Amino acid sequence: MDPFYDTIIIAEKPGVAKAFAYSLSNPGRPKIISINRITLYSFKYKNKKILSFGVSGHILNFDFQKKYNNWKNTDPRTLFFIDPIQIVRKGSWKYYDTLRKLSQKTNHVILALDADVEGESIAFEVMNIMKKYNPNIKFDRAWFSAITKEDILNAVDNLTKPNPNLANKAFARMIVDLTIGAAFTRILTLMIEKRSNVLPRGKFISYGPCQTPVLYLVVKRALEREKFKKKKYYSLNAKLTNGIKIFNAVYYKEKIESFEEANSILNRIKNTSKATVIKADYTTRNILPPEPLNTIELERRCSRFLNIRPQETLNIAENLYQDGLISYPRTETTKYPKTINLIKIAKKFIDYQDIGPFVRKIISTKISPRQGSEDDKAHPPIYPLKNLPKDKIIQKYGRKGWNIYNLVVRHFIATLSKPAVIEKQKIIAKIKNEKFIIEGLKIIEEGFYTVYPYDKPSENILPYLLPNDTLEVIEIKIIEKETKPPPYLSESQLLKLMKKYGIGTDATMQDHIQTNIKRKYFVVDKKRCIPTPLGKILTTSLYETVPEIVEPEVRGKMERKLQKIAEGIVEPNEVIQEIKREFLEYYDRLRENEEELSKKLIKALITVYSNEYEKRVSRRYQNYKDKQRKRR
DNA sequence: GCAAGGTC
């Protein structure tokens, strides 16, 4: 018998489809069936026969018609004047085919995609595919802000209609990104290939409205570093003691310009044996626990605390999520939803590592979790779901997997913990008339640091002194110092800047870093981003002619224009044309400077690809000689 | 052979 479903629910990922099935199924549990190796859930809800399953993100993508995809025969400029077409993504045919089959088996579909513009655009992809095979289907939208039973029931009881404005914003973004990226990547690559064969087969010079501003941020810092001129300066250090402990005191002026000045101060005080305390400040300060974890913070902390690269962090987190150890790892949210039972989750960790007793104490008191302010309305912050022993986790996910899992668990417990209390200690002592400063730090209450030692400050406890107390001077000396250039940008700082400028999304930020590495524009060494000569030349020479396409603000400006589509203020095509016109102007300006630009790029390319270049030349020479030999 | 965005 061919089953007919009253309703088919389509989610963005299998996990959500499963949550819908288990939240709604009544009576009984959902039955699992399989089409094209996709898992689907069949169940009853309010006496209706329902089927749910997840497509994995987008099913369709934009591309140019085939005839425009030959780089050599197509002037990249023409890409600004044609409309890309939607195609089925590689690997998405099984979802396409499943939608086609199922469109014959229902007249009602609930679009349960994520509550954001990408989710809405996937909803329209689903609708357009299914309508083609069954024009009678009625479509509703389930809009839910957390994947909990309560939210799911609420969404299903309050269905809305899909919003084309949101979807069109996402489609417009896809179109302009493809057009701009392809046009600039092709022209940059072709201008090199026309003049040189330094680019190995399959390599190209790319441009993208996310990747290039990321490179700019890295190069900008490297140039500041290169331009930096070191300067010598002097400081005075004094060793003082109260008879019990020895303290390091530094001269109150951080920098003394000349040795002579430092020396004259030293001469004035060097025979003094006593220092007098003139001020002693002990101020306590609360340090709040960290905010609930979102993707970018997970990546930044794993980079800083664990020295794991963002891309690997997200990969491992995805695996931990797939196996049900942690919640969904791609989220902007830093605020626990009201529907989440924090105590229940914490209870799972009452025997975790060495922090069990601490966790027991937390759940026996009234907790008020630390809350952030970001909410993507689709996913909760990242938190642990299961307590598994260390050796099991290491066995399956490696040491890095354990370290990341352990961070997620401890971070979660930390957000439920009390603030730490520290005491900042500052003593000012006078040697004759010269002021010296001693600084100390004492941890009064460990608070969340008990479970979260990663950025716990180190203690340096000073005794409690009072004004007019006397200290012995052990020695005073002049220290010669040098001003330091700014360090290369760390990956953690880079992520923070990307967020500040709105470059990329939680799920893609690490991709944009990775693209630059793949293109040999920069490398990451010891957590720091160091540009290659190619990356530097590409950025600086593009910046000289078309700063507008390199500046970190590019993406944000584009985003604001696209946002008007979502708000229904401007027609999508109007925005698409406006952005295309703007970038066409930049494109033309770039071409005017093609000669100079390509010369510079070729020079830099040789440094990056010299090995490969030489190998290729020698291989060709070898071929030539082989042929000659055969002829003889 | 292009981009950036979903997700695996």
Side-chain angles (χ1 to χ4, degrees), chain A residues 290-302 310 313-314 317 326-336 371-376 379-383 404 407-408 411-412 415 452 495-496 499 505-507 509:
Chain A
E291 290 180 359
L293 203 54
N294 63 9
T295 308
I296 178 174
E297 268 310 309
L298 175 69
E299 288 173 357
R300 295 188 63 219
R301 282 162 198 264
C302 286
T313 296
L314 196 53
I326 65 171
S327 66
Y328 191 67
R330 286 179 285 270
T331 172
E332 286 173 30
T333 308
T334 57
K335 212 169 151 180
Y336 294 122
Q371 293 282 54
S373 54
E374 289 178 83
D375 191 352
D376 64 14
H379 303 287
I382 303 165
Y383 63 89
I404 292 173
L407 177 86
V408 171
H411 194 106
F412 172 74
T415 61
Y452 202 73
L495 287 169
K496 199 172 186 179
K499 188 175 162 68
T505 67
D506 48 45
M509 281 179 181

Side-chain angles (χ1 to χ4, degrees), chain A residues 75-140:
Chain A
D75 179 355
R77 199 173 191 274
T78 57
L79 301 179
F80 286 100
F81 301 97
I82 58 170
D83 293 320
I85 51 168
Q86 267 182 315
I87 55 158
V88 177
R89 313 169 67 87
K90 220 169 146 188
S92 290
W93 281 105
K94 59 177 185 178
Y95 297 107
Y96 184 94
D97 188 61
T98 304
L99 290 171
R100 180 185 64 80
K101 282 178 183 151
L102 291 175
S103 60
Q104 307 297 321
K105 302 202 190 284
T106 192
N107 280 322
H108 182 227
V109 168
I110 294 179
L111 301 157
L113 294 117
D114 286 359
D116 52 34
V117 290
E118 294 300 328
E120 203 70 5
S121 69
I122 299 170
F124 275 77
E125 291 171 15
V126 168
M127 264 199 292
N128 291 336
I129 293 166
M130 295 188 91
K131 267 187 197 163
K132 210 158 65 176
Y133 299 102
N134 178 1
N136 298 323
I137 297 178
K138 189 174 155 278
F139 291 94
D140 283 311

Side-chain angles (χ1 to χ4, degrees), chain A residues 2-44:
Chain A
D2 210 13
F4 195 85
Y5 296 96
D6 294 303
T7 297
I8 293 179
I9 298 176
I10 297 169
E12 196 160 315
K13 40 197 163 267
V16 176
K18 188 177 176 184
F20 266 76
Y22 280 85
S23 302
L24 300 175
S25 185
N26 187 16
R29 291 160 70 87
K31 277 194 205 80
I32 290 170
I33 58 171
S34 174
I35 303 177
N36 297 335
R37 296 181 152 198
I38 299 167
T39 302
L40 303 90
Y41 301 88
S42 159
F43 57 93
K44 286 227 156 157

Side-chain angles (χ1 to χ4, degrees), chain A residues 340-357:
Chain A
I340 190 172
N341 190 336
L342 297 171
I343 297 270
K344 198 173 150 193
I345 300 161
K347 268 188 186 156
K348 297 179 185 177
F349 298 92
I350 52 171
D351 61 348
Y352 185 82
Q353 297 287 304
D354 55 326
I355 64 173

Side-chain angles (χ1 to χ4, degrees), chain A residues 190-234:
Chain A
L190 291 171
M191 71 169 74
I192 303 300
E193 289 182 344
K194 208 160 79 183
R195 293 172 173 81
S196 147
N197 57 0
V198 64
L199 267 175
R201 185 183 275 276
K203 297 284 179 187
F204 44 85
I205 304 286
S206 64
Y207 169 82
C210 286
Q211 57 172 269
T212 308
V214 165
L215 176 62
Y216 172 86
L217 292 167
V218 168
V219 170
K220 186 169 171 255
R221 175 64 72 83
L223 294 180
E224 282 165 13
R225 194 180 149 81
E226 279 171 23
K227 270 187 232 145
F228 186 85
K229 289 216 174 65
K230 286 182 200 163
K231 232 174 119 186
K232 273 193 184 153
Y233 68 92
Y234 301 87

